Amino acid sequence: MANSEGSSGPVTHVFRGTFIHSTPETALQVLEDALLGVDTAGKISFIGKGENLLELSQKFGFNPSDVNQLAQHEFFMPGMIDTHIHASQYSYAGTALDMPLLQWLNTYTFPVESHFKDLEFAKKVYTQVVKRTLRNGTTTACYFATIHTDASLLLGQIANDFGQRALVGKVCMDRNNSVKHYRETVQESVDETHRFIKELLNKKYPLVKPVVTPRFAPSCTEALLEQLGTIAKNNNLHIQSHISENIDELKLVKELFPDSETYTDIYHKFNLLTDKTIMAHGCHLSDKELTVFRETGTSLSHCPNSNVSLCSGILDARNVLNHKVKLGLGTDVAGGYSSSILDAVRRTLDASKVLTIQNPQHQTLTFEEVFRLATLGGSQALSLDDQIGNFEIGKDFDALRVNVAARGGPIDLHKVDHLTSYSLFPPICPLKGDDRNIVEVFVAGRKVVPCEDLALE
Ligand code: GUN
Ligand code: FE
């Protein structure tokens, strides 16, 4: 570990202890007895060795006695990144998982989402989801809201107020035959998307950005998809949608878009596949389609809880990685019943092991690779890896202080002679731990958990 320095302002916090993170070369790197400095802008100004404390303190102008020392069973890891979550579906997460996707949307999802016209209701649910996901260690969330512009703006405001980094999408959909009051005309969708982008950008929230959000091809006409592609391009914005989640959905897409050879072609045709696009699921994408993803820089959000809960399919994440497509993890609340990326880590491992059970030749994802997907992979999927994802100098300090032995937590530590305590830490916490082990959460250097306002109602 080299001592390096960034070009930053005065150092305001220095932490000493174990730091665990990923790099493009190393899926999981453990830095023991490291020193990490954070500047006034919330960026990492240096990372060095504990033994060089005096030298670093002189160089960066901090008092060695101000160093915040981690306790014996603590470590820092990068904040986790949820690349796909429906904030508006948080109100019924954990229920209503008795139908496949298309029936589930018509029966539960569209009726619930239509309630977000009511700003009081929206405020309540959006406050809960932001607080809960922060508490679970999600420092960055890529949210779907609903078609309602004012409620979507409110979600942006709430994320900003609680200090979460967020991409927020006002959902666009001009086709919905089952819940007719929950759809827009093309013109309404386009006008409201313009208004949403303009008003959200005008707020100048430092960590919250708008994302152009066609719900998925079956909810949108070609006319709408075309306009949304243009809006994203003209404003250089992120785009998010769903693709190839479930077999009945693929059949419907073929009926609705008979001229397109593949599902991927539909989005591609309307300039919706870019290096700032995140597509959720992709369980049934062909290798040819994955190649288009790589060529366009489009990323995939792997949502294993949802894929199993709605009986949609099992994404072969190894194949996605072999195609060099950017991949992050998503909870897909409420298709997924858990709002925790730790849950997504476990489900990703399970899904990969199921594929190995079915085919022993399958190369199972390792724990280390999945840890990287939850952190650095997510940042790459959202094209934010120049700002977040690991503990590189110059990136924002988005971090979780984890205590493996947190009082009242779910882990009982055992002394295992042939393992050092630190070599035991990385796997044990994501696999057995939960939010009780996440004792502090930082976003851009600001401590957002614990926070008095964050006491859950
Ligand atoms: N496809 C279109 N809309 C949705 C949604 O809300 N959830 C999931 N899982 N898939 C979708
Ligand atoms: Fe989804």
Side-chain angles (χ1 to χ4, degrees):
M1 180 182 20
N3 291 339
S4 326
E5 60 186 288
S7 55
S8 46
V11 167
T12 53
H13 297 293
V14 180
F15 299 98
R16 181 171 183 171
T18 302
F19 288 77
I20 298 171
H21 75 158
S22 306
T23 69
E25 297 75 34
T26 311
L28 193 141
Q29 196 174 57
V30 181
L31 308 172
E32 287 187 39
D33 191 27
L35 273 168
L36 181 145
V38 182
D39 69 16
T40 42
K43 292 187 189 304
I44 299 168
S45 48
F46 67 85
I47 180 152
K49 288 186 175 167
E51 67 196 40
N52 297 330
L53 173 63
L54 272 184
E55 187 192 324
L56 287 165
S57 67
Q58 282 160 9
K59 197 169 189 175
F60 290 95
F62 64 89
N63 188 337
S65 64
D66 290 342
V67 170
N68 188 331
Q69 173 72 51
L70 298 197
Q72 192 195 359
H73 295 299
E74 290 187 330
F75 64 87
F76 267 112
M77 62 175 276
M80 292 186 284
I81 298 174
D82 190 341
T83 58
H84 183 78
I85 172 166
H86 297 260
S88 51
Q89 296 172 15
Y90 184 65
S91 59
Y92 68 100
T95 68
L97 291 171
D98 56 344
M99 292 178 189
L101 175 68
L102 299 177
Q103 291 93 317
W104 175 82
L105 287 171
N106 292 336
T107 310
Y108 305 115
T109 305
F110 296 151
V112 171
E113 287 192 14
S114 70
H115 286 300
F116 282 73
K117 206 174 149 180
D118 174 351
L119 288 177
E120 276 308 304
F121 177 68
K123 184 174 177 188
K124 203 166 161 199
V125 177
Y126 287 161
T127 302
Q128 287 173 334
V129 72
V130 169
K131 283 176 165 180
R132 177 64 69 189
T133 52
L134 275 174
R135 189 70 202 79
N136 287 340
T138 300
T139 49
T140 299
C142 187
Y143 284 120
F144 274 60
T146 61
I147 66 170
H148 312 98
T149 306
D150 292 320
S152 305
L153 289 166
L154 189 57
L155 174 57
Q157 183 195 320
I158 292 167
N160 175 70
D161 289 350
F162 285 96
Q164 190 172 48
R165 191 183 301 276
L167 291 169
V168 177
K170 170 227 163 303
V171 171
C172 297
M173 48 193 283
D174 66 334
R175 273 208 267 225
N176 184 355
N177 287 331
S178 66
V179 181
K180 293 198 168 59
H181 62 277
Y182 188 54
R183 72 175 179 211
E184 314 155 289
T185 64
V186 183
Q187 201 54 50
E188 281 164 353
S189 193
V190 168
D191 290 348
E192 287 300 292
T193 297
H194 277 303
R195 180 165 83 84
F196 173 69
I197 295 165
K198 186 165 169 234
E199 293 193 18
L200 191 60
L201 292 177
N202 278 346
K203 301 278 185 195
K204 302 206 184 312
Y205 299 138
L207 303 177
V208 179
K209 293 175 198 277
V211 43
V212 174
T213 306
R215 177 170 213 118
F216 70 155
S219 294
C220 302
T221 59
E222 295 206 347
L224 179 57
L225 292 173
E226 180 169 14
Q227 299 242 32
L228 295 177
T230 305
I231 293 174
K233 192 170 181 183
N234 291 344
N235 297 279
N236 187 24
L237 291 178
H238 282 82
I239 298 167
Q240 61 178 348
S241 191
H242 298 87
I243 194 164
S244 225
E245 179 174 358
N246 148 303
I247 297 289
D248 285 341
E249 173 204 9
L250 299 193
K251 290 184 190 144
L252 179 60
V253 165
K254 271 209 177 323
E255 278 168 38
L256 294 173
F257 300 87
D259 298 335
S260 289
E261 204 186 307
T262 66
Y263 201 158
T264 298
D265 282 345
I266 301 168
Y267 294 127
H268 197 23
K269 180 170 162 189
F270 297 115
N271 299 317
L272 290 162
L273 300 185
T274 74
D275 62 1
K276 290 171 85 174
T277 299
I278 311 103
M279 286 284 165
H281 306 288
C283 304
H284 306 286
L285 289 172
S286 64
D287 286 355
K288 199 171 145 201
E289 289 177 287
L290 285 174
T291 303
V292 177
F293 269 61
R294 187 189 55 234
E295 285 168 359
T296 54
T298 302
S299 64
L300 262 184
S301 172
H302 180 24
C303 304
N305 188 320
S306 169
N307 291 343
V308 171
S309 294
L310 295 177
C311 298
S312 299
I314 303 214
L315 176 73
D316 185 344
R318 172 65 67 203
N319 192 38
V320 175
L321 292 176
N322 285 345
H323 279 80
K324 306 227 174 313
V325 172
K326 295 183 289 180
L327 185 66
L329 303 186
T331 58
D332 193 29
V333 163
Y337 56 77
S338 169
S339 60
S340 164
I341 288 291
L342 284 180
D343 171 84
V345 166
R346 294 166 189 148
R347 308 277 156 189
T348 298
L349 281 164
D350 287 354
S352 185
K353 288 178 181 178
V354 167
L355 292 175
T356 302
I357 292 167
Q358 291 172 341
N359 170 16
Q361 303 303 315
H362 177 75
Q363 196 192 347
T364 317
L365 295 183
T366 64
F367 164 77
E368 289 81 359
E369 286 177 301
V370 179
F371 177 93
R372 176 160 62 187
L373 293 180
T375 54
L376 185 63
S379 74
Q380 293 165 336
L382 300 184
S383 285
L384 294 175
D385 49 315
D386 56 335
Q387 287 171 55
I388 53 170
N390 61 9
F391 297 127
E392 242 179 57
I393 292 157
K395 287 193 181 181
D396 284 9
F397 186 63
D398 284 19
L400 313 181
R401 184 174 185 153
V402 178
N403 185 347
V404 182
R407 196 184 277 258
I411 298 175
D412 295 312
L413 279 185
H414 306 286
K415 188 160 168 23
V416 183
D417 286 340
H418 66 281
L419 292 172
T420 69
S421 54
Y422 285 141
S423 68
L424 194 63
F425 282 179
I428 202 172
C429 225
L431 295 183
K432 286 181 73 180
D434 61 25
D435 61 331
R436 288 169 289 183
N437 299 103
I438 300 174
V439 291
E440 289 179 344
V441 179
F442 295 83
V443 181
R446 171 181 168 198
K447 196 197 284 185
V448 294
V449 175
C451 159
E452 269 176 26
D453 290 351
L454 280 170
L456 290 165
E457 284 132 22

